[in-house]
Amino acid sequence: MSDDEIILSELSDEDLVLQMHDDLYDGLKEEIEEGVNILLSRNWTPYNVLTKALVEGMRIVGIDFRDGILFVPEVLLAANAMKAGMFILRPLLIETGAPKLGSMVIGTVKGDIHDIGKNLVGMMMEGAGFDVFDLGINTDADEYLAALEEHKPDILGMSALLTTTMPYMKVVIDTMVAKGIRDDYTILVGGAPLNEEFGKAIGADAYCRDAAVAVETAKSYMARKHNQM
């Protein structure tokens, strides 16, 4: 241990939270676990630890990812560190019934086995306070519909990384229209070959070019939904 090594337990609450933002940014899993436990031992509510230390830290990561300062490998490390913190907090949050922003079913469409982008969206959505049900890769319309029926989410997220699998998103949306359930969900689509025009053409609510945009878009749809209620 070097002389200038930071001892997390000796930091004030404020400095510890800032240090956790840095540790999250650097993808330091053990430091995040330690920080979460220290704040809990100082009688922080699980919800405050989540929002002030983890979500705020991931928001900073999201901005730098959007601006091209951070890249996918670094964001995945940060998201993994966040996940380690969430692992400690999740049971406590469930106990205390912390406010949830909403829920989302997400999957990569049939024929497509790419999942880095989807996983990133899932992790960042969890970090922002959404419950996420991840259907994995190669998801067909029946699997999406079964998950919507089971989880009754606010949002359906679909991802595709191949030009050949993109059109399958329309198959899923058309099936939802045919069953009369299309308007019950906000549908977000994403993936490298997509663009806004494609999203509009297939009847999605929004195209999200990356995980940071997906989170912002999901939040704005949820805010609108609550205002209408």
Side-chain angles (χ1 to χ4, degrees):
M1 199 163 145
S2 60
D3 295 341
D4 58 355
E5 183 134 341
I6 293 162
I7 298 168
L8 296 180
S9 57
E10 291 177 0
L11 298 176
S12 67
D13 285 11
E14 203 176 323
D15 287 343
L16 177 56
V17 167
L18 291 173
Q19 183 59 42
M20 286 173 75
H21 294 170
D22 287 349
D23 289 344
L24 201 54
Y25 196 91
D26 295 332
L28 304 174
K29 196 172 147 197
E30 278 149 21
E31 283 79 350
I32 289 298
E33 290 169 338
E34 190 187 339
V36 165
N37 285 323
I38 292 168
L39 289 174
L40 290 172
S41 74
R42 293 180 186 177
N43 295 323
W44 275 51
T45 65
Y47 183 69
N48 278 343
V49 179
L50 172 68
T51 50
K52 294 184 176 150
L54 300 184
V55 174
E56 180 55 27
M58 272 315 268
R59 194 183 68 79
I60 299 162
V61 169
I63 290 167
D64 279 4
F65 176 52
R66 185 192 67 204
D67 296 343
I69 297 162
L70 285 179
F71 298 96
V72 168
E74 292 135 324
V75 179
L76 284 175
L77 277 175
N80 268 329
M82 157 107 199
K83 241 184 171 166
M86 283 291 289
F87 186 77
I88 300 167
L89 292 174
R90 188 174 285 119
L92 303 172
L93 288 164
I94 291 167
E95 257 172 53
T96 54
K100 274 282 172 200
L101 275 182
S103 58
M104 176 187 210
V105 160
I106 191 170
T108 302
V109 296
K110 186 178 173 181
D112 207 316
I113 57 166
H114 293 87
D115 67 354
I116 289 182
K118 169 188 68 65
N119 293 350
L120 211 49
V121 171
M123 287 194 237
M124 287 186 68
M125 289 286 289
E126 277 203 323
F130 285 83
D131 281 324
V132 177
F133 306 100
D134 188 341
L135 307 180
I137 54 174
N138 196 15
T139 311
D140 67 23
D142 290 343
E143 291 173 89
Y144 280 118
L145 290 174
L148 294 176
E149 178 59 34
E150 183 187 346
H151 302 297
K152 304 266 188 283
D154 303 290
I155 295 166
L156 169 63
M158 291 189 283
S159 163
L161 262 176
L162 303 170
T163 48
T164 49
T165 56
M166 284 163 54
Y168 195 78
M169 293 178 166
K170 186 170 179 345
V171 175
V172 177
I173 294 174
D174 288 349
T175 309
M176 291 171 71
V177 170
K179 290 203 180 296
I181 59 168
R182 163 63 189 94
D183 294 340
D184 300 346
Y185 305 97
T186 296
I187 300 179
L188 306 182
V189 295
L194 278 69
N195 56 34
E196 232 157 278
E197 288 69 52
F198 177 79
K200 282 201 184 82
I202 61 168
D205 288 293
Y207 152 74
C208 306
R209 69 164 195 273
D210 62 38
V213 174
V215 170
E216 290 312 312
T217 308
K219 281 183 177 170
S220 71
Y221 272 98
M222 291 313 297
R224 261 180 262 176
K225 190 171 174 173
H226 291 310
N227 288 339
Q228 285 165 3
M229 283 158 100

